[in-house]
Amino acid sequence: MADPPGCCRPCATCLLCLYSCQWITTKKEKRKGLRTTKCDCSWFLFLFCVFLFTLVWLYFAIIILNDFHNFNEFIFKQKKLWLDWSLVLLIATAVLITYSAVLLVLALCLQLCGQPLKLHWLHKTLLIVTALVVAAAFTGLGIKWAEEWRSARISLQATGPFLHIGIVGGMTLLAWPLASFIYRTRNTALKVFLLLVYCTVMIALYLAPLGITSPCIMEENQLPPKPALVGHRGAPMLAPENTLMSLQKAVDCDVQVFETDVMVSADGVPFLMHDEELTRTTNVQAVFPERAALNSTAFNWTDLQQLDAGSWFLERRPFPTVQSLSAGDRYQAAKQRIPSLEQALEAAKQSNISIMFDLRPENHSDYQSFVNATLEVILQSGIPLQQVLWLPDGFREQVKQQAPGVQQVYGRKRLQNEKEPLLHVNLPYQDMSSEEIRQYRQDNISVNLYVVNQPWLFSVLWCSGVSSVTTNACQVLKEMKHPIWLLPSSTYLMIWIVVDCSSFLAILWAFLLLKRCSQRRRAAESETDVLLTKINSLMQE
């Protein structure tokens, strides 16, 4: 069988070497009479599935980057080891997707060149390992981080239209090796089966936009106002979290609310701290090594003031942005101490921003005394009470009576038989749909969603009409003047029609062109057979 046009013998030999790990010339291959068997086709199908499987995992890996800092904190609490595991995730995923993609490209090129798909056993082993690793990653995600499945569904509102275009383009390119295989094989049943599967998939893809919805498919004049920014523990990408420097950096990012966490010391002083232990964000292991594992509330205020709450930020670099800090910011970060709630309220009052906080730990036996101590500091601080947003559910009625001006923020959705209307809710971004956000907005309920770091997610929530978002990346979201994309429905309809029509024409052209090449090749082979027959006849005479 002659090589197809454009497929030189050295190229075919090189492809065979890489795919089959054997340096076999085309002539030797023909003499051995090797063909692509059903087993080889099964391995090619497995390769294709592994590639798609790994590609889906790559998509998930990119999506979960929004929440990966939570994973880093979880690992630190379990193993006392700090590492930016997102780099490990992305590097490992990139290696797996690159390997499977290169193998798939080699297989498609071999098919176009009319060469057998004899996958080497080493590649088979590595493909099985790849599939097992990705399956384990998905299993772990489902068990330990199930909310990320909801994050993936939300992400489709941002990527759906573009994923549709990419998948249609990829399936269109697949028409070339498919047509080449169909015109080469003599198995009619296999031809019909492949064509039916391919046509079914393409029809489904052409009609997929009927099921694609996104809040960002709207007219420009329908776009809601940009959501306000709430600094999650301040500006933790620019300064040590829950410090006065972090609060000031958040103010510089134009945040309207400083979100923090409050604990109460053993001698009754409320202070800012998120973790129940001090090991992650202070040098407590160096100053009080025998007490490092104790709850933060077991330390008195004098002890807490001795701790360095900033050097860890420079040493562990919880975010890549730490590397780009100026010398002045590094010096200031190294000097940070644990601030009291009184200091934070004074800074918020001077900066004219609101402060929202959780009071931890809610299961503590002295929690009511924590509430009393916190309320006392708030009332004595002189900050306007409407600038204080109260999150804790414990003893909320007492707080309403003693400080009626404090804004009550609820960590739940409204109930059907609500005694008094909710004015503010604070929820994970996975817990509210775009339709619910719009309904709450119509009912004048302020919705704050957390934690939103990636521009794609901020864009979806912006288009949905959310009131505010809690973020680690206030310096990034501050610069966004517009959602990443916004398409009128008429424009999206036009793109849909153009993409589908272009794809259909490209597929038709691929099948017609390869059919002509196949007919020419068969005619040449027929002429060669006739000539060989005549030569044999003459030699016999």
Side-chain angles (χ1 to χ4, degrees), residues 229-236 250 255-260 469-471 474:
L229 300 181
V230 177
H232 185 229
R233 309 174 198 170
V255 304
Q256 295 187 11
V257 181
F258 171 58
E259 187 276 338
T260 186
V469 299
T470 300
T471 180
C474 59

Side-chain angles (χ1 to χ4, degrees), residues 221-242:
N221 57 11
Q222 296 176 334
L223 181 67
K226 180 179 178 179
L229 300 181
V230 177
H232 185 229
R233 309 174 198 170
M237 290 188 176
L238 305 176
E241 65 179 57
N242 284 334

Side-chain angles (χ1 to χ4, degrees), residues 9 31-32 50 85 151 160 185 191 193 197 245 250 256 269 278 342 351 359 366 385 387 399 427 461 509-510 515 538:
R9 183 169 298 172
R31 281 201 303 268
K32 290 184 178 181
V50 169
W85 294 98
S151 300
T185 186
K191 287 182 182 182
F193 174 75
V197 171
M245 179 184 177
Q256 295 187 11
V269 178
L278 300 168
E342 180 181 0
S351 302
L359 185 58
D366 293 330
L385 293 184
Q387 288 181 226
V399 175
L427 294 166
L461 298 178
W509 180 55
K515 182 179 181 180
L538 290 173

Side-chain angles (χ1 to χ4, degrees), residues 146-301:
E147 62 268 21
E148 291 305 314
W149 294 106
R150 288 178 289 166
S151 300
R153 286 198 294 269
I154 294 173
S155 72
L156 293 177
Q157 298 178 11
T159 61
F162 308 101
L163 285 177
H164 169 251
I165 295 173
I167 295 173
V168 168
M171 292 298 295
T172 302
L173 291 176
L174 194 61
W176 289 87
L178 178 64
S180 174
F181 178 80
I182 286 175
Y183 289 132
R184 289 178 186 279
T185 186
R186 297 179 180 179
N187 190 328
T188 304
L190 183 59
K191 287 182 182 182
V192 173
F193 174 75
L194 290 176
L195 281 175
L196 283 176
V197 171
Y198 186 75
C199 290
T200 301
V201 171
M202 291 309 301
I203 291 173
L205 286 175
Y206 289 157
L207 299 178
L210 292 174
I212 294 177
T213 60
S214 173
C216 291
I217 299 178
M218 63 165 60
E219 301 295 331
E220 181 79 28
N221 57 11
Q222 296 176 334
L223 181 67
K226 180 179 178 179
L229 300 181
V230 177
H232 185 229
R233 309 174 198 170
M237 290 188 176
L238 305 176
E241 65 179 57
N242 284 334
T243 61
L244 296 180
M245 179 184 177
S246 190
L247 187 152
Q248 185 55 52
K249 288 293 184 182
V251 172
D252 295 341
C253 288
D254 298 333
V255 304
Q256 295 187 11
V257 181
F258 171 58
E259 187 276 338
T260 186
D261 307 276
V262 175
M263 291 191 175
V264 180
S265 67
D267 51 348
V269 178
F271 63 96
L272 307 192
M273 181 60 58
H274 175 269
D275 296 1
E276 292 190 5
E277 295 181 7
L278 300 168
T279 51
R280 183 175 65 88
T281 57
T282 72
N283 63 338
V284 67
Q285 290 178 319
V287 180
F288 303 110
E290 71 285 354
R291 301 166 59 194
L294 295 180
N295 192 286
S296 303
T297 59
F299 293 80
N300 60 44
W301 180 238

Side-chain angles (χ1 to χ4, degrees), residues 493-505:
L493 178 62
M494 183 61 65
I495 293 174
W496 171 19
I497 294 174
V498 170
V499 168
D500 285 3
C501 291
S502 300
S503 169
F504 177 77
L505 293 175

Side-chain angles (χ1 to χ4, degrees), residues 49-87:
C49 292
V50 169
F51 170 74
L52 292 181
F53 196 34
T54 312
L55 194 63
V56 172
W57 172 249
L58 175 63
Y59 179 82
F60 268 84
I62 294 173
I63 296 305
I64 64 178
L65 287 179
N66 180 82
D67 306 314
F68 218 84
H69 186 70
N70 297 338
F71 181 78
N72 292 339
E73 290 185 2
F74 171 78
I75 293 296
F76 182 84
K77 290 177 182 178
Q78 299 297 318
K79 305 296 183 181
K80 303 303 179 185
L81 170 67
W82 184 268
L83 182 66
D84 187 0
W85 294 98
S86 63
L87 293 177

